[in-house]
Amino acid sequence: MGRSIGTQQVANVSDLLAQGGHPLPEVIVSGPGPEFTSGAMDRWAERCAVKLSSIEPGKLGQNCFVESFNGKFRDECLNGHLFWILADARQKFEVWRHDYNQHRPHRSLGQRTPTEFLEEYENRLTERTETLRL
């Protein structure tokens, strides 16, 4: 359990995020794995007006954002810990994720944390929605 995620799970989690008030992205860029290349994902993306874009096999540099994140995760978390059992790894990943999202400013986000950036983004969406209602 918790080692892989199928297409329907991706669609379900995305739907839950949208229902919780999180806007869906305009585009999802993924590798050529089965989670994003199935008919079920195509139908979900069409229903939700989300464009799916797949990088070419063997061309991971085409998704520089993921490559940058993966490098940070590897250098700061994976290389810095020993993982004794799956529960231990999950706990250490969660501590790192919390720090990454809540406490660390990111240059690409104007020296804001991802949480700060998301809050500002959601506030702008709310303001635009309220302006359109007037």
Side-chain angles (χ1 to χ4, degrees), residues 21-63:
H22 296 282
L24 292 172
E26 293 177 19
V27 179
I28 294 176
V29 179
S30 71
E35 297 83 5
F36 289 95
T37 58
S38 71
M41 198 64 196
D42 290 338
R43 289 187 294 280
W44 173 87
E46 185 175 335
R47 176 174 54 85
C48 295
V50 173
K51 181 182 178 201
L52 297 178
S53 178
S54 181
I55 62 173
E56 297 174 60
K59 305 271 183 160
L60 297 178
Q62 291 177 348
N63 194 348

Side-chain angles (χ1 to χ4, degrees), residues 53-77:
S53 178
S54 181
I55 62 173
E56 297 174 60
K59 305 271 183 160
L60 297 178
Q62 291 177 348
N63 194 348
C64 56
F65 299 109
V66 169
E67 288 304 303
S68 175
F69 173 81
N70 286 346
K72 286 178 179 65
F73 183 63
R74 182 177 45 256
D75 292 344
E76 298 170 10
C77 186

Side-chain angles (χ1 to χ4, degrees), residues 1-34:
M1 180 175 147
R3 295 180 188 179
S4 66
I5 182 168
T7 302
Q8 195 57 54
Q9 289 172 299
V10 171
N12 291 345
V13 168
S14 299
D15 284 337
L16 286 172
L17 289 170
Q19 291 168 8
H22 296 282
L24 292 172
E26 293 177 19
V27 179
I28 294 176
V29 179
S30 71

Side-chain angles (χ1 to χ4, degrees), residues 92-106:
K92 289 172 180 169
F93 296 164
E94 181 59 24
V95 168
W96 185 87
R97 186 194 65 79
H98 180 74
D99 179 61
Y100 185 85
N101 287 324
Q102 304 288 329
H103 302 291
R104 292 180 43 184
H106 295 241

